[in-house]
Amino acid sequence: KLNENSPHATGFCYLGAEAAFHLLGGKQAGIKVYCASYEEDGMKCTHWWLVKGKKIIDPTASQYRELGLEPPYHLGKRMGFLTRQPSKRAAALMEMVK
C-alpha cells in the first residue's frame, strides 16, 4: 500500500520505463516494454519495466528491493506505451537526465 513510508520509487515505474525506453533507443535498439498487473492487499497494482535481450532494465526496481521483495517479472506481458513519442512528463524527465 502506498503511504508516507513507501519506497521513494513507488508510483513512478511507467514514467521511468518510458523515459529510459526513449533514452536507450527504443524499439530500434531492440528494447521491449513489459507490464505486470496483480493484486496486493486487495489493491490493483501494475509495474512497468524494459527488456533488451535477456537483460531487464527496471529504473524503479528499488521500490520492491527496499522492502526485501523481487519485482513481479514472472507476471509480465509485452505492452506498449500510450504514445509513440515521449509524453510531456517523460520528456521533462529525459531533459533532467541529460
Side-chain angles (χ1 to χ4, degrees), residues 21 25-31:
F21 177 81
K27 189 176 181 179
Q28 292 179 329
I31 298 173

Side-chain angles (χ1 to χ4, degrees), residues 6-71:
S6 294
H8 67 281
T10 300
F12 295 102
C13 60
Y14 182 93
L15 176 61
E18 182 190 8
F21 177 81
H22 292 289
L23 286 169
L24 297 172
K27 189 176 181 179
Q28 292 179 329
I31 298 173
K32 297 174 182 169
V33 180
Y34 281 81
C35 179
S37 295
Y38 60 98
E39 197 167 304
E40 183 177 298
D41 297 329
M43 202 168 110
K44 291 186 179 188
C45 303
T46 58
H47 184 62
W48 293 77
W49 67 94
L50 309 172
V51 174
K52 182 172 182 176
K54 293 185 179 185
K55 181 177 178 158
I56 293 172
I57 304 165
D58 186 349
T60 62
S62 63
Q63 67 183 299
Y64 293 93
R65 297 202 170 113
E66 287 177 15
L67 299 173
L69 304 171
E70 281 299 311

